Amino acid sequence: MPKLDRLGEPIYALFRMVIGFLFMIHGVASLFGVFGGHRGSGQALEVAVWPNWWAALIQLVCGALVLGGLFTRVAATLASGSMAYAYFIVHQPRELLPLQNGGEASAMFAWAFLLIVAVGPGIWALDSVLRRAPARASVSGVTPAPGLAGIVRTQSSES
């Protein structure tokens, strides 16, 4: 089993990336009328029509962010919430079970994104690269810019 344990992080990273990609493609299809368009109609949604156009925009932006692993937890929280909304407001009133009400994709996306919120970006994520960059810079002898926390700390210590 130790050989399989080594695969956990890469498999999770691929999971995050695939979920982000699939979500993003839903948004692209609905916003631009490609890949079959919105719900297979071949058409794009009208701009700013509530709630479908806004949901598609969330799908595009949050899907791309999760795919790249940038602001992962924030993007996944918004994506999960939007899919929970879609499930409970659009699908669940039709029938109780996702198999009966057509809400399987919404339910699976909601839970998949909730898992990503809980676990975080993992490896192969821009969040991880950005988190390591200041540490790498200080080890190499280059001091990174202090950022807001350093500026506040410096001003308060001078007072």
Side-chain angles (χ1 to χ4, degrees):
M1 285 305 220
K3 288 183 181 181
L4 288 178
D5 290 344
R6 291 186 322 193
L7 297 176
E9 286 195 32
I11 288 172
Y12 172 73
L14 290 171
F15 171 81
R16 174 189 48 79
M17 291 163 46
V18 167
I19 293 296
F21 175 76
L22 293 173
F23 202 59
M24 180 183 73
I25 290 300
H26 272 277
V28 168
S30 294
L31 290 174
F32 303 111
V34 295
F35 309 125
H38 178 65
R39 296 188 183 176
S41 69
Q43 302 295 314
L45 293 167
E46 279 189 54
V47 176
V49 172
W50 178 261
N52 292 342
W53 187 87
W54 296 99
L57 184 62
I58 289 170
Q59 291 167 356
L60 172 63
V61 173
C62 291
L65 289 171
V66 169
L67 169 62
L70 185 62
F71 307 116
T72 308
R73 282 192 160 119
V74 173
T77 299
L78 183 56
S80 180
S82 73
M83 288 295 96
Y85 175 90
Y87 182 76
F88 286 110
I89 300 303
V90 177
H91 298 285
Q92 199 277 326
R94 295 181 196 156
E95 290 287 337
L96 179 62
L97 299 175
L99 184 61
Q100 297 171 316
N101 65 30
E104 294 154 301
S106 296
M108 284 192 282
F109 272 127
W111 283 103
F113 282 118
L114 190 60
L115 175 67
I116 293 168
V117 171
V119 176
I123 62 171
W124 303 340
L126 292 173
D127 285 339
S128 300
V129 171
L130 294 175
R131 198 174 328 118
R132 287 190 301 253
R136 227 181 278 131
S138 63
V139 168
S140 68
V142 177
T143 306
L148 184 59
I151 292 169
V152 172
R153 204 175 314 115
T154 304
Q155 288 176 348
S156 65
S157 62
E158 291 174 0
S159 302

